[in-house]
Amino acid sequence: MDICPWCEIEKLESVTDSVYWELPDGTRAIEITDTPSYYCDNCRALFQSDEVVKGIEDQLFLIDTRQLGNQTSYDELMKIKRLLKRNYFDF
């Protein structure tokens, strides 16, 4: 990602940060630490790429979320064994 989607400046910094995500069943939210993110120093926006967002959403949809605590790292989340190979509801 080269351009900030908010202010359209071409200077983004790759960082990791905590994000908070609601589980697909809506029962609670969890903190996902060390999530790959981008930071724009111009408008101070902190955001994740579409690919990271889709990866988190698919993973949370495909795992047994009851095994998650209130906090996990991005890498730990992505390593959890899936109940299905892929999200068959993503058309």
Side-chain angles (χ1 to χ4, degrees), residues 28-47:
R28 62 190 174 103
I30 62 167
E31 178 182 8
I32 306 170
T33 62
D34 301 319
T35 304
S37 304
Y38 291 102
Y39 175 73
C40 176
D41 195 42
N42 183 62
C43 69
R44 299 195 175 154
L46 179 70
F47 56 95

Side-chain angles (χ1 to χ4, degrees), residues 56-70:
I56 291 171
E57 289 178 350
D58 282 349
Q59 186 70 350
L60 289 174
F61 187 72
L62 296 171
I63 65 171
D64 179 4
T65 57
R66 294 174 294 180
Q67 64 183 316
L68 291 173
N70 291 329

Side-chain angles (χ1 to χ4, degrees), residues 17-22 29-33 35 48 70-71:
D17 200 24
S18 290
V19 296
Y20 298 86
W21 225 273
E22 183 177 351
I30 62 167
E31 178 182 8
I32 306 170
T33 62
T35 304
Q48 295 71 47
N70 291 329
Q71 181 186 61

Side-chain angles (χ1 to χ4, degrees), residues 2 8 10-11 15 21 23 31 34-35 43 47 52 56-57 63 74 78 81-82 84 87 89-90:
D2 297 328
E8 299 181 350
E10 293 187 31
K11 193 170 184 179
V15 297
W21 225 273
L23 297 181
E31 178 182 8
D34 301 319
T35 304
C43 69
F47 56 95
V52 168
I56 291 171
E57 289 178 350
I63 65 171
Y74 176 81
M78 300 313 281
K81 184 178 177 182
R82 294 178 170 191
L84 297 171
N87 183 352
F89 300 102
D90 184 21

